[in-house]
Amino acid sequence: MRRGLELTPFRGLRYDPDRVGSLAAVTSPPYDVVVRPDGLHHLESADPHNIVRLILPQATTPIARNEQAADTLRRWLSEGVLTTDPEPGLYVYEQRDGDGMLQRGIIGALRVSDPSEGVVLPHEDVMPHVVADRAALMRATSANLEPLLLTYRGNGSASAATEFVERVAGRPPLLATTTEDGFSHRLWSVTDPADLARIQSDLAQHQALIADGHHRWATYRRLRTEHASPSPWDYGLVLLVDTARYPLRVRAIHRLLHGLPVADALAALEGLFRIRHLPVPLPEALDALADAACAGNAFLLAGDGAFHLLDRPDPDLLARTIPAERPTAWRTLDATVLHSALLDHVWHIPEDDPARIAYIHDTAATVEKAERDGGTAVLMHPVREEVVRDLARQGVTMPRKSTSFGPKPASGLVLRALDL
């Protein structure tokens, strides 16, 4: 019988509310969602103990950055800014916004597994330099500083774990705060052995899809191989959400092409795509992108004060640039066409060179940075969750940074130290 999800309790590391300005002021989006430098500076100034000082330390060299994060973590522990919960537990976590979005899940230490085991399914490729960067930070701090977002498909409210999550949410929380994005966050600790056993037994019947955190999961896998088993590195910090009960939002991740003006990007595409110039505001341009995406591959370029809709790619371009041996569902993805046809063959931009390309989740921020820096923003239309899950079950990975599932867990509410 195939092994399922193995979620184990841990002693959570949490901010002491009496030692910080507010819990909201010390939280951050995940490290790869922070738009640097604007967002980084904003978070650093929100509170001297903001978690961004651990997940995105600032120094002149990578080694210095990681040493700084490790020193900061040790100092906060010695000063009591961060304290360890008295006994191991799993944590029920709730996020809610003013638009009716409600997400609940369970935070725990999940046994790290390889894709071949079919327990945790990746759906995107990763960039080796990002994995190396995250691994160096985790080695230096000996900690999982923020949870990954994983989804599984239970039986709605009938599943034991989801039923328990709903019941716990009726209790007074361990902590509650509202962040500046309007999301309220609540956290509960589950330590009763019978409750833990019930949750673990239910989750052991399921497999999970990585919704957000492919690079950190790849980092967990790398670090596990560096330590003799059994060890704390056999497990990694995750948030598991049952999307049969709490469907996630799926958004696109956009590209910012440094050093490529929009005029040059468009000139290289003449005859390869239909190009329509849209002198309209961003919301209307995105509506036009959504309409075009219903009929085929489509992209929106920005950065020169206007929007330019690309669709109807030249079939000959696709035939000579998209690998023919891959499944049709993969070959027709917008991200596949963007990376294989446009980045590789038309614009000649390496997808893993941070000096040439950035991946940004916020649509308006991508456009603003392109206009300010003289680059090109490539805006994408999101992929449906069922397409992502079907490809993952086939063992087919999508191009890196193809999707953005959310809401993402806030970083800073609970951490996992591997040496405690």
Side-chain angles (χ1 to χ4, degrees):
M1 180 178 176
R2 187 185 67 194
R3 300 172 75 178
L5 299 168
E6 297 180 27
L7 195 68
T8 66
F10 69 103
R11 294 178 65 198
L13 195 61
R14 297 188 296 109
Y15 282 99
D16 181 344
D18 296 329
R19 301 299 303 272
V20 298
S22 73
L23 289 175
V26 296
T27 65
S28 164
Y31 79 97
D32 59 338
V33 182
V34 177
V35 179
R36 291 176 280 187
D38 305 0
L40 178 67
H41 295 159
H42 173 71
L43 291 165
E44 286 182 331
S45 63
D47 189 284
H49 301 110
N50 189 283
I51 190 68
V52 77
R53 297 179 187 274
L54 298 182
I55 62 175
L56 286 174
Q58 298 301 293
T60 54
T61 68
I63 292 176
R65 287 196 295 269
N66 296 327
E67 289 177 348
Q68 179 175 293
D71 290 342
T72 300
L73 179 57
R74 283 192 292 267
R75 185 174 71 254
W76 289 356
L77 286 167
S78 65
E79 294 173 352
V81 173
L82 288 169
T83 60
T84 308
D85 282 339
E87 54 184 321
L90 298 176
Y91 296 83
V92 172
Y93 176 47
E94 176 190 279
Q95 295 164 276
R96 188 191 298 263
D97 70 5
D99 297 327
M101 178 72 182
L102 173 63
Q103 178 173 288
R104 291 176 178 146
I106 303 171
I107 295 175
L110 184 68
R111 183 183 71 86
V112 178
S113 59
D114 294 325
S116 60
E117 296 181 52
V119 176
V120 176
L121 305 176
H123 69 267
E124 288 183 358
D125 293 331
V126 297
M127 291 175 270
H129 76 275
V130 177
V131 175
D133 174 74
R134 290 295 102 184
L137 179 63
M138 286 190 205
R139 286 191 204 99
T141 58
S142 191
N144 299 152
L145 299 172
E146 46 185 350
L148 285 64
L149 175 59
L150 272 60
T151 72
Y152 70 100
R153 299 289 292 179
N155 300 315
S157 60
S159 74
T162 302
E163 185 275 334
F164 183 78
V165 165
E166 307 260 336
R167 184 152 42 88
V168 168
R171 303 174 184 172
L174 190 65
L175 65 84
T177 189
T178 300
T179 45
E180 64 179 5
D181 58 5
F183 271 91
S184 64
H185 308 261
R186 298 198 296 168
L187 192 75
W188 296 261
S189 177
V190 180
T191 58
D192 179 81
D195 292 335
L196 293 173
R198 190 175 303 113
I199 294 171
Q200 291 171 312
S201 176
D202 184 15
L203 293 176
Q205 304 173 52
H206 298 287
Q207 63 179 186
L209 175 73
I210 301 175
D212 184 68
H214 283 81
H215 289 89
R216 283 167 286 165
W217 184 256
T219 300
Y220 290 168
R221 292 176 53 216
R222 173 182 291 193
L223 294 174
R224 179 195 57 176
T225 65
E226 297 176 1
H227 298 80
S229 185
S231 84
W233 298 93
D234 292 339
Y235 297 83
L237 186 64
V238 306
L239 166 65
L240 277 168
V241 174
D242 177 2
T243 53
R245 177 64 181 87
Y246 299 106
L248 270 64
R249 293 170 175 163
V250 186
R251 293 191 170 103
I253 301 176
H254 309 296
R255 276 66 170 161
L256 175 61
L257 310 182
H258 302 301
L260 179 66
V262 174
D264 293 350
L266 291 171
L269 293 170
E270 286 293 340
L272 300 177
F273 278 78
R274 181 174 69 167
I275 303 173
R276 287 178 282 168
H277 305 285
L278 307 177
V280 298
L282 177 58
E284 292 182 33
L286 291 174
D287 288 342
L289 174 62
D291 290 341
C294 292
N297 301 118
F299 310 94
L300 200 62
L301 301 193
D304 61 351
F307 297 99
H308 312 273
L309 182 63
L310 313 180
D311 65 354
R312 299 185 183 177
D314 175 27
D316 290 339
L317 171 69
L318 302 184
R320 67 176 184 267
T321 60
I322 307 297
E325 70 277 6
R326 303 299 295 273
T328 300
W330 181 89
R331 298 177 73 248
T332 55
L333 290 168
D334 286 341
T336 298
V337 172
L338 174 62
H339 284 252
S340 296
L342 295 181
L343 293 180
D344 288 353
H345 291 272
V346 176
W347 294 325
H348 306 292
I349 294 177
E351 63 183 17
D352 57 357
D353 183 355
R356 301 290 305 281
I357 185 170
Y359 299 83
I360 303 178
H361 294 72
D362 185 272
T363 308
T366 310
V367 175
E368 290 166 7
K369 289 178 73 66
E371 292 179 346
R372 185 175 61 205
D373 302 339
T376 295
V378 183
L379 306 183
M380 311 279 287
H381 186 66
V383 183
R384 300 190 316 277
E385 181 182 355
E386 55 266 31
V387 173
V388 176
R389 193 174 294 275
D390 287 347
L391 284 170
R393 284 175 174 156
Q394 296 175 47
V396 177
T397 53
M398 300 167 67
R400 56 197 64 172
K401 299 293 183 182
S402 293
T403 58
S404 176
F405 284 87
K408 305 176 191 304
S411 300
L413 295 180
V414 61
L415 293 66
R416 175 179 176 249
L418 280 81
D419 52 5
L420 293 177

